[in-house]
Amino acid sequence: MNILVSHCFLGEPCRYDGASRLDRQIIELHRAGHNLIPVCPEVLGGLSVPRTPAEIQPDGRVLTEDGVDVTAAYQAGAERALAIARENGCTVAILKSRSPSCGCGEVYDGTFTHTVKPGWGVTARLLEEAGFEVMDEEHLQASLYDL
Ligand code: SF4
């Protein structure tokens, strides 16, 4: 199966702070025979590494910690990620929890106080609305390891 994954899971240092989030259970999916298609929506949207952290606001805009509106870049990255998912025949996406792009069901609340609330990252929401099965690394389905 072709699975769209957050690029930072594979050790790519694309996070806002220039770090990665290498995740062995995602690597294990590759060993189990799946083809992992990596995307970093924020980089695809034209943002740099490192970059100022951003969070989704109650009105839906994405603002950096210093108040710059980066909603358009987040949206562009989400649309690019969706196109890549379709081009590669993916039906499942596994994305990084709580990210303003990749978060699935839970995101930071926009106050930059490490407070989470129910919600979706911009890319995760677009993929979910387009009919993809979207989950984060904390809710991986055991069935993905049974080929
Ligand atoms: Fe990882 Fe997604 Fe953030 Fe890129 S946008 S660094 S893939 S969580």
mmCIF file of all heavy atoms in Angstrom, residues 88-136:
data_model
loop_
_atom_site.group_PDB
_atom_site.id
_atom_site.type_symbol
_atom_site.label_atom_id
_atom_site.label_comp_id
_atom_site.label_asym_id
_atom_site.label_seq_id
_atom_site.Cartn_x
_atom_site.Cartn_y
_atom_site.Cartn_z
ATOM 1 N N ASN A 88 0.162 9.535 -6.229
ATOM 2 C CA ASN A 88 0.798 8.285 -5.812
ATOM 3 C C ASN A 88 -0.191 7.200 -5.403
ATOM 4 O O ASN A 88 0.208 6.150 -4.901
ATOM 5 C CB ASN A 88 1.778 8.559 -4.675
ATOM 6 C CG ASN A 88 3.040 9.246 -5.169
ATOM 7 O OD1 ASN A 88 3.945 8.596 -5.686
ATOM 8 N ND2 ASN A 88 3.084 10.562 -5.073
ATOM 9 N N GLY A 89 -1.469 7.470 -5.606
ATOM 10 C CA GLY A 89 -2.474 6.451 -5.331
ATOM 11 C C GLY A 89 -2.622 6.107 -3.860
ATOM 12 O O GLY A 89 -3.005 4.984 -3.511
ATOM 13 N N CYS A 90 -2.327 7.060 -2.978
ATOM 14 C CA CYS A 90 -2.477 6.796 -1.544
ATOM 15 C C CYS A 90 -3.964 6.826 -1.162
ATOM 16 O O CYS A 90 -4.746 7.583 -1.755
ATOM 17 C CB CYS A 90 -1.758 7.865 -0.722
ATOM 18 S SG CYS A 90 0.010 7.982 -1.032
ATOM 19 N N THR A 91 -4.321 6.032 -0.167
ATOM 20 C CA THR A 91 -5.653 6.139 0.423
ATOM 21 C C THR A 91 -5.565 6.403 1.926
ATOM 22 O O THR A 91 -6.551 6.716 2.571
ATOM 23 C CB THR A 91 -6.466 4.843 0.200
ATOM 24 O OG1 THR A 91 -5.722 3.739 0.727
ATOM 25 C CG2 THR A 91 -6.749 4.622 -1.275
ATOM 26 N N VAL A 92 -4.353 6.224 2.465
ATOM 27 C CA VAL A 92 -4.107 6.385 3.904
ATOM 28 C C VAL A 92 -3.010 7.427 4.102
ATOM 29 O O VAL A 92 -2.036 7.462 3.344
ATOM 30 C CB VAL A 92 -3.677 5.038 4.533
ATOM 31 C CG1 VAL A 92 -3.247 5.215 5.978
ATOM 32 C CG2 VAL A 92 -4.792 4.008 4.416
ATOM 33 N N ALA A 93 -3.177 8.272 5.129
ATOM 34 C CA ALA A 93 -2.131 9.225 5.503
ATOM 35 C C ALA A 93 -1.857 9.092 6.992
ATOM 36 O O ALA A 93 -2.782 9.035 7.801
ATOM 37 C CB ALA A 93 -2.562 10.649 5.171
ATOM 38 N N ILE A 94 -0.578 9.027 7.346
ATOM 39 C CA ILE A 94 -0.168 8.991 8.750
ATOM 40 C C ILE A 94 0.644 10.249 9.015
ATOM 41 O O ILE A 94 1.709 10.458 8.406
ATOM 42 C CB ILE A 94 0.653 7.730 9.068
ATOM 43 C CG1 ILE A 94 -0.142 6.483 8.695
ATOM 44 C CG2 ILE A 94 1.023 7.711 10.550
ATOM 45 C CD1 ILE A 94 0.659 5.194 8.792
ATOM 46 N N LEU A 95 0.111 11.105 9.876
ATOM 47 C CA LEU A 95 0.663 12.456 10.025
ATOM 48 C C LEU A 95 1.018 12.730 11.480
ATOM 49 O O LEU A 95 0.491 12.103 12.405
ATOM 50 C CB LEU A 95 -0.363 13.479 9.518
ATOM 51 C CG LEU A 95 -0.804 13.302 8.054
ATOM 52 C CD1 LEU A 95 -1.878 14.331 7.699
ATOM 53 C CD2 LEU A 95 0.361 13.399 7.095
ATOM 54 N N LYS A 96 1.879 13.709 11.668
ATOM 55 C CA LYS A 96 2.420 14.020 12.998
ATOM 56 C C LYS A 96 1.353 14.671 13.884
ATOM 57 O O LYS A 96 0.751 15.674 13.503
ATOM 58 C CB LYS A 96 3.622 14.949 12.849
ATOM 59 C CG LYS A 96 4.278 15.337 14.149
ATOM 60 C CD LYS A 96 5.082 14.179 14.719
ATOM 61 C CE LYS A 96 5.541 14.480 16.136
ATOM 62 N NZ LYS A 96 4.503 14.245 17.159
ATOM 63 N N SER A 97 1.221 14.134 15.068
ATOM 64 C CA SER A 97 0.186 14.619 15.988
ATOM 65 C C SER A 97 0.391 16.086 16.374
ATOM 66 O O SER A 97 1.518 16.555 16.533
ATOM 67 C CB SER A 97 0.196 13.762 17.259
ATOM 68 O OG SER A 97 1.482 13.815 17.866
ATOM 69 N N ARG A 98 -0.726 16.780 16.485
ATOM 70 C CA ARG A 98 -0.827 18.136 17.052
ATOM 71 C C ARG A 98 -0.202 19.253 16.225
ATOM 72 O O ARG A 98 -0.241 20.410 16.610
ATOM 73 C CB ARG A 98 -0.293 18.164 18.491
ATOM 74 C CG ARG A 98 -1.145 17.346 19.446
ATOM 75 C CD ARG A 98 -0.650 17.397 20.866
ATOM 76 N NE ARG A 98 0.520 16.576 21.061
ATOM 77 C CZ ARG A 98 0.498 15.246 21.236
ATOM 78 N NH1 ARG A 98 -0.646 14.597 21.247
ATOM 79 N NH2 ARG A 98 1.606 14.568 21.403
ATOM 80 N N SER A 99 0.410 18.932 15.097
ATOM 81 C CA SER A 99 0.983 19.978 14.230
ATOM 82 C C SER A 99 -0.133 20.818 13.607
ATOM 83 O O SER A 99 -1.197 20.289 13.276
ATOM 84 C CB SER A 99 1.787 19.300 13.116
ATOM 85 O OG SER A 99 1.835 20.099 11.966
ATOM 86 N N PRO A 100 0.106 22.115 13.388
ATOM 87 C CA PRO A 100 -0.922 22.931 12.727
ATOM 88 C C PRO A 100 -1.159 22.543 11.269
ATOM 89 O O PRO A 100 -2.171 22.916 10.681
ATOM 90 C CB PRO A 100 -0.376 24.360 12.833
ATOM 91 C CG PRO A 100 1.090 24.199 13.073
ATOM 92 C CD PRO A 100 1.262 22.901 13.810
ATOM 93 N N SER A 101 -0.248 21.779 10.682
ATOM 94 C CA SER A 101 -0.497 21.212 9.352
ATOM 95 C C SER A 101 -0.985 19.777 9.451
ATOM 96 O O SER A 101 -1.939 19.391 8.785
ATOM 97 C CB SER A 101 0.792 21.221 8.506
ATOM 98 O OG SER A 101 1.120 22.501 8.095
ATOM 99 N N CYS A 102 -0.302 18.990 10.260
ATOM 100 C CA CYS A 102 -0.469 17.532 10.228
ATOM 101 C C CYS A 102 -1.347 16.967 11.339
ATOM 102 O O CYS A 102 -1.701 15.788 11.297
ATOM 103 C CB CYS A 102 0.914 16.878 10.282
ATOM 104 S SG CYS A 102 1.935 17.210 8.825
ATOM 105 N N GLY A 103 -1.689 17.732 12.355
ATOM 106 C CA GLY A 103 -2.428 17.213 13.502
ATOM 107 C C GLY A 103 -3.771 16.594 13.119
ATOM 108 O O GLY A 103 -4.486 17.117 12.279
ATOM 109 N N CYS A 104 -4.093 15.479 13.775
ATOM 110 C CA CYS A 104 -5.313 14.722 13.445
ATOM 111 C C CYS A 104 -6.221 14.645 14.669
ATOM 112 O O CYS A 104 -6.018 13.800 15.539
ATOM 113 C CB CYS A 104 -4.964 13.310 13.008
ATOM 114 S SG CYS A 104 -3.798 13.226 11.651
ATOM 115 N N GLY A 105 -7.195 15.512 14.755
ATOM 116 C CA GLY A 105 -8.157 15.445 15.852
ATOM 117 C C GLY A 105 -7.781 16.260 17.072
ATOM 118 O O GLY A 105 -8.600 16.443 17.971
ATOM 119 N N GLU A 106 -6.539 16.742 17.101
ATOM 120 C CA GLU A 106 -6.072 17.510 18.249
ATOM 121 C C GLU A 106 -4.942 18.426 17.765
ATOM 122 O O GLU A 106 -4.025 17.972 17.083
ATOM 123 C CB GLU A 106 -5.547 16.551 19.319
ATOM 124 C CG GLU A 106 -5.311 17.167 20.670
ATOM 125 C CD GLU A 106 -4.868 16.125 21.683
ATOM 126 O OE1 GLU A 106 -3.790 15.515 21.489
ATOM 127 O OE2 GLU A 106 -5.586 15.923 22.658
ATOM 128 N N VAL A 107 -5.042 19.705 18.093
ATOM 129 C CA VAL A 107 -4.007 20.680 17.698
ATOM 130 C C VAL A 107 -3.789 21.653 18.853
ATOM 131 O O VAL A 107 -4.621 21.756 19.770
ATOM 132 C CB VAL A 107 -4.408 21.482 16.435
ATOM 133 C CG1 VAL A 107 -4.412 20.606 15.191
ATOM 134 C CG2 VAL A 107 -5.763 22.160 16.623
ATOM 135 N N TYR A 108 -2.687 22.389 18.797
ATOM 136 C CA TYR A 108 -2.475 23.441 19.791
ATOM 137 C C TYR A 108 -3.496 24.559 19.566
ATOM 138 O O TYR A 108 -3.937 24.811 18.438
ATOM 139 C CB TYR A 108 -1.041 23.944 19.721
ATOM 140 C CG TYR A 108 -0.068 22.903 20.208
ATOM 141 C CD1 TYR A 108 0.794 22.255 19.325
ATOM 142 C CD2 TYR A 108 -0.050 22.523 21.543
ATOM 143 C CE1 TYR A 108 1.662 21.261 19.776
ATOM 144 C CE2 TYR A 108 0.809 21.534 22.007
ATOM 145 C CZ TYR A 108 1.659 20.907 21.109
ATOM 146 O OH TYR A 108 2.492 19.919 21.573
ATOM 147 N N ASP A 109 -3.860 25.222 20.651
ATOM 148 C CA ASP A 109 -5.069 26.061 20.630
ATOM 149 C C ASP A 109 -4.883 27.500 20.150
ATOM 150 O O ASP A 109 -5.817 28.286 20.170
ATOM 151 C CB ASP A 109 -5.724 26.061 22.010
ATOM 152 C CG ASP A 109 -4.923 26.844 23.039
ATOM 153 O OD1 ASP A 109 -3.780 27.259 22.736
ATOM 154 O OD2 ASP A 109 -5.450 27.048 24.163
ATOM 155 N N GLY A 110 -3.664 27.852 19.727
ATOM 156 C CA GLY A 110 -3.451 29.192 19.193
ATOM 157 C C GLY A 110 -2.892 30.179 20.194
ATOM 158 O O GLY A 110 -2.622 31.333 19.847
ATOM 159 N N THR A 111 -2.693 29.719 21.438
ATOM 160 C CA THR A 111 -2.196 30.631 22.472
ATOM 161 C C THR A 111 -0.693 30.480 22.717
ATOM 162 O O THR A 111 -0.121 31.208 23.528
ATOM 163 C CB THR A 111 -2.923 30.386 23.808
ATOM 164 O OG1 THR A 111 -2.656 29.033 24.245
ATOM 165 C CG2 THR A 111 -4.423 30.581 23.657
ATOM 166 N N PHE A 112 -0.071 29.525 22.044
ATOM 167 C CA PHE A 112 1.370 29.261 22.206
ATOM 168 C C PHE A 112 1.724 28.952 23.666
ATOM 169 O O PHE A 112 2.757 29.360 24.171
ATOM 170 C CB PHE A 112 2.205 30.420 21.656
ATOM 171 C CG PHE A 112 1.989 30.621 20.172
ATOM 172 C CD1 PHE A 112 1.041 31.530 19.707
ATOM 173 C CD2 PHE A 112 2.697 29.873 19.243
ATOM 174 C CE1 PHE A 112 0.821 31.694 18.346
ATOM 175 C CE2 PHE A 112 2.478 30.027 17.872
ATOM 176 C CZ PHE A 112 1.539 30.948 17.430
ATOM 177 N N THR A 113 0.834 28.241 24.327
ATOM 178 C CA THR A 113 1.059 27.845 25.723
ATOM 179 C C THR A 113 1.080 26.317 25.860
ATOM 180 O O THR A 113 0.873 25.798 26.955
ATOM 181 C CB THR A 113 -0.045 28.422 26.634
ATOM 182 O OG1 THR A 113 -1.324 27.958 26.153
ATOM 183 C CG2 THR A 113 -0.029 29.940 26.634
ATOM 184 N N HIS A 114 1.298 25.618 24.737
ATOM 185 C CA HIS A 114 1.329 24.149 24.729
ATOM 186 C C HIS A 114 -0.008 23.560 25.183
ATOM 187 O O HIS A 114 -0.058 22.462 25.734
ATOM 188 C CB HIS A 114 2.472 23.603 25.593
ATOM 189 C CG HIS A 114 3.818 24.113 25.166
ATOM 190 N ND1 HIS A 114 4.451 23.679 24.017
ATOM 191 C CD2 HIS A 114 4.636 25.040 25.712
ATOM 192 C CE1 HIS A 114 5.595 24.304 23.880
ATOM 193 N NE2 HIS A 114 5.736 25.147 24.884
ATOM 194 N N THR A 115 -1.081 24.306 24.954
ATOM 195 C CA THR A 115 -2.425 23.823 25.292
ATOM 196 C C THR A 115 -3.063 23.229 24.041
ATOM 197 O O THR A 115 -3.043 23.876 22.983
ATOM 198 C CB THR A 115 -3.287 24.991 25.805
ATOM 199 O OG1 THR A 115 -2.588 25.650 26.856
ATOM 200 C CG2 THR A 115 -4.636 24.495 26.295
ATOM 201 N N VAL A 116 -3.600 22.016 24.163
ATOM 202 C CA VAL A 116 -4.219 21.395 22.990
ATOM 203 C C VAL A 116 -5.740 21.490 23.073
ATOM 204 O O VAL A 116 -6.313 21.660 24.164
ATOM 205 C CB VAL A 116 -3.782 19.921 22.820
ATOM 206 C CG1 VAL A 116 -2.303 19.814 22.523
ATOM 207 C CG2 VAL A 116 -4.164 19.098 24.033
ATOM 208 N N LYS A 117 -6.353 21.403 21.915
ATOM 209 C CA LYS A 117 -7.817 21.410 21.824
ATOM 210 C C LYS A 117 -8.200 20.482 20.671
ATOM 211 O O LYS A 117 -7.358 20.154 19.815
ATOM 212 C CB LYS A 117 -8.337 22.825 21.557
ATOM 213 C CG LYS A 117 -7.920 23.351 20.193
ATOM 214 C CD LYS A 117 -8.573 24.681 19.859
ATOM 215 C CE LYS A 117 -8.209 25.110 18.439
ATOM 216 N NZ LYS A 117 -8.821 26.361 18.042
ATOM 217 N N PRO A 118 -9.445 20.054 20.604
ATOM 218 C CA PRO A 118 -9.871 19.247 19.466
ATOM 219 C C PRO A 118 -9.755 20.062 18.182
ATOM 220 O O PRO A 118 -10.070 21.257 18.169
ATOM 221 C CB PRO A 118 -11.346 18.929 19.774
ATOM 222 C CG PRO A 118 -11.468 19.108 21.261
ATOM 223 C CD PRO A 118 -10.513 20.213 21.609
ATOM 224 N N GLY A 119 -9.290 19.444 17.125
ATOM 225 C CA GLY A 119 -9.171 20.158 15.855
ATOM 226 C C GLY A 119 -8.247 19.415 14.912
ATOM 227 O O GLY A 119 -7.656 18.393 15.272
ATOM 228 N N TRP A 120 -8.127 19.960 13.719
ATOM 229 C CA TRP A 120 -7.341 19.313 12.673
ATOM 230 C C TRP A 120 -6.343 20.308 12.102
ATOM 231 O O TRP A 120 -6.663 21.486 11.911
ATOM 232 C CB TRP A 120 -8.263 18.816 11.557
ATOM 233 C CG TRP A 120 -9.081 17.646 11.987
ATOM 234 C CD1 TRP A 120 -10.184 17.683 12.803
ATOM 235 C CD2 TRP A 120 -8.846 16.279 11.670
ATOM 236 N NE1 TRP A 120 -10.655 16.410 13.015
ATOM 237 C CE2 TRP A 120 -9.855 15.524 12.318
ATOM 238 C CE3 TRP A 120 -7.913 15.612 10.906
ATOM 239 C CZ2 TRP A 120 -9.930 14.144 12.225
ATOM 240 C CZ3 TRP A 120 -7.987 14.233 10.805
ATOM 241 C CH2 TRP A 120 -8.987 13.516 11.459
ATOM 242 N N GLY A 121 -5.144 19.823 11.781
ATOM 243 C CA GLY A 121 -4.199 20.617 11.024
ATOM 244 C C GLY A 121 -4.745 20.879 9.620
ATOM 245 O O GLY A 121 -5.628 20.165 9.151
ATOM 246 N N VAL A 122 -4.191 21.882 8.974
ATOM 247 C CA VAL A 122 -4.730 22.314 7.673
ATOM 248 C C VAL A 122 -4.639 21.184 6.641
ATOM 249 O O VAL A 122 -5.602 20.913 5.908
ATOM 250 C CB VAL A 122 -3.976 23.572 7.185
ATOM 251 C CG1 VAL A 122 -4.458 23.984 5.800
ATOM 252 C CG2 VAL A 122 -4.151 24.720 8.183
ATOM 253 N N THR A 123 -3.516 20.508 6.588
ATOM 254 C CA THR A 123 -3.349 19.406 5.615
ATOM 255 C C THR A 123 -4.183 18.197 6.008
ATOM 256 O O THR A 123 -4.836 17.579 5.157
ATOM 257 C CB THR A 123 -1.863 19.018 5.514
ATOM 258 O OG1 THR A 123 -1.148 20.131 4.973
ATOM 259 C CG2 THR A 123 -1.656 17.794 4.636
ATOM 260 N N ALA A 124 -4.155 17.854 7.278
ATOM 261 C CA ALA A 124 -4.920 16.689 7.732
ATOM 262 C C ALA A 124 -6.403 16.876 7.417
ATOM 263 O O ALA A 124 -7.079 15.952 6.964
ATOM 264 C CB ALA A 124 -4.704 16.478 9.225
ATOM 265 N N ARG A 125 -6.903 18.082 7.643
ATOM 266 C CA ARG A 125 -8.317 18.339 7.375
ATOM 267 C C ARG A 125 -8.632 18.205 5.880
ATOM 268 O O ARG A 125 -9.628 17.589 5.490
ATOM 269 C CB ARG A 125 -8.715 19.741 7.858
ATOM 270 C CG ARG A 125 -10.186 20.074 7.602
ATOM 271 C CD ARG A 125 -10.542 21.471 8.034
ATOM 272 N NE ARG A 125 -10.447 21.666 9.464
ATOM 273 C CZ ARG A 125 -11.358 21.278 10.357
ATOM 274 N NH1 ARG A 125 -12.454 20.661 9.943
ATOM 275 N NH2 ARG A 125 -11.192 21.513 11.632
ATOM 276 N N LEU A 126 -7.767 18.781 5.044
ATOM 277 C CA LEU A 126 -8.013 18.714 3.599
ATOM 278 C C LEU A 126 -8.027 17.259 3.124
ATOM 279 O O LEU A 126 -8.897 16.856 2.339
ATOM 280 C CB LEU A 126 -6.935 19.516 2.856
ATOM 281 C CG LEU A 126 -7.172 19.698 1.361
ATOM 282 C CD1 LEU A 126 -8.405 20.567 1.097
ATOM 283 C CD2 LEU A 126 -5.951 20.312 0.684
ATOM 284 N N LEU A 127 -7.071 16.470 3.592
ATOM 285 C CA LEU A 127 -7.020 15.060 3.206
ATOM 286 C C LEU A 127 -8.247 14.309 3.711
ATOM 287 O O LEU A 127 -8.838 13.497 2.988
ATOM 288 C CB LEU A 127 -5.751 14.410 3.775
ATOM 289 C CG LEU A 127 -4.428 14.823 3.116
ATOM 290 C CD1 LEU A 127 -3.258 14.404 3.988
ATOM 291 C CD2 LEU A 127 -4.298 14.212 1.725
ATOM 292 N N GLU A 128 -8.632 14.575 4.929
ATOM 293 C CA GLU A 128 -9.787 13.902 5.522
ATOM 294 C C GLU A 128 -11.052 14.243 4.740
ATOM 295 O O GLU A 128 -11.852 13.373 4.416
ATOM 296 C CB GLU A 128 -9.898 14.334 6.981
ATOM 297 C CG GLU A 128 -10.459 13.290 7.913
ATOM 298 C CD GLU A 128 -11.948 13.462 8.109
ATOM 299 O OE1 GLU A 128 -12.441 14.563 7.819
ATOM 300 O OE2 GLU A 128 -12.598 12.493 8.534
ATOM 301 N N GLU A 129 -11.212 15.517 4.391
ATOM 302 C CA GLU A 129 -12.395 15.940 3.633
ATOM 303 C C GLU A 129 -12.395 15.365 2.212
ATOM 304 O O GLU A 129 -13.449 15.209 1.604
ATOM 305 C CB GLU A 129 -12.474 17.464 3.590
ATOM 306 C CG GLU A 129 -12.841 18.063 4.950
ATOM 307 C CD GLU A 129 -12.805 19.578 4.980
ATOM 308 O OE1 GLU A 129 -12.336 20.207 4.012
ATOM 309 O OE2 GLU A 129 -13.243 20.149 5.997
ATOM 310 N N ALA A 130 -11.195 15.054 1.711
ATOM 311 C CA ALA A 130 -11.086 14.482 0.366
ATOM 312 C C ALA A 130 -11.286 12.965 0.378
ATOM 313 O O ALA A 130 -11.185 12.319 -0.662
ATOM 314 C CB ALA A 130 -9.727 14.830 -0.236
ATOM 315 N N GLY A 131 -11.526 12.395 1.565
ATOM 316 C CA GLY A 131 -11.861 10.986 1.643
ATOM 317 C C GLY A 131 -10.722 10.067 2.036
ATOM 318 O O GLY A 131 -10.880 8.844 2.023
ATOM 319 N N PHE A 132 -9.578 10.642 2.365
ATOM 320 C CA PHE A 132 -8.457 9.809 2.810
ATOM 321 C C PHE A 132 -8.692 9.335 4.242
ATOM 322 O O PHE A 132 -9.352 10.028 5.032
ATOM 323 C CB PHE A 132 -7.135 10.596 2.750
ATOM 324 C CG PHE A 132 -6.659 10.851 1.343
ATOM 325 C CD1 PHE A 132 -7.234 11.857 0.569
ATOM 326 C CD2 PHE A 132 -5.659 10.075 0.787
ATOM 327 C CE1 PHE A 132 -6.815 12.084 -0.732
ATOM 328 C CE2 PHE A 132 -5.235 10.300 -0.509
ATOM 329 C CZ PHE A 132 -5.815 11.304 -1.280
ATOM 330 N N GLU A 133 -8.112 8.197 4.556
ATOM 331 C CA GLU A 133 -8.101 7.726 5.942
ATOM 332 C C GLU A 133 -6.884 8.370 6.597
ATOM 333 O O GLU A 133 -5.747 8.105 6.195
ATOM 334 C CB GLU A 133 -8.003 6.205 5.965
ATOM 335 C CG GLU A 133 -8.291 5.604 7.305
ATOM 336 C CD GLU A 133 -8.319 4.077 7.250
ATOM 337 O OE1 GLU A 133 -8.355 3.520 6.143
ATOM 338 O OE2 GLU A 133 -8.301 3.480 8.328
ATOM 339 N N VAL A 134 -7.125 9.236 7.559
ATOM 340 C CA VAL A 134 -6.041 10.039 8.138
ATOM 341 C C VAL A 134 -5.904 9.702 9.616
ATOM 342 O O VAL A 134 -6.896 9.675 10.352
ATOM 343 C CB VAL A 134 -6.339 11.551 7.975
ATOM 344 C CG1 VAL A 134 -5.178 12.385 8.478
ATOM 345 C CG2 VAL A 134 -6.633 11.888 6.511
ATOM 346 N N MET A 135 -4.681 9.442 10.046
ATOM 347 C CA MET A 135 -4.437 9.125 11.464
ATOM 348 C C MET A 135 -3.072 9.666 11.857
ATOM 349 O O MET A 135 -2.228 9.939 10.993
ATOM 350 C CB MET A 135 -4.495 7.610 11.679
ATOM 351 C CG MET A 135 -3.375 6.858 11.020
ATOM 352 S SD MET A 135 -3.648 5.067 10.921
ATOM 353 C CE MET A 135 -4.734 4.964 9.502
ATOM 354 N N ASP A 136 -2.877 9.847 13.151
ATOM 355 C CA ASP A 136 -1.547 10.240 13.607
ATOM 356 C C ASP A 136 -0.799 9.021 14.146
ATOM 357 O O ASP A 136 -1.347 7.912 14.215
ATOM 358 C CB ASP A 136 -1.607 11.403 14.608
ATOM 359 C CG ASP A 136 -2.276 11.027 15.917
ATOM 360 O OD1 ASP A 136 -2.267 9.840 16.295
ATOM 361 O OD2 ASP A 136 -2.820 11.942 16.575
#
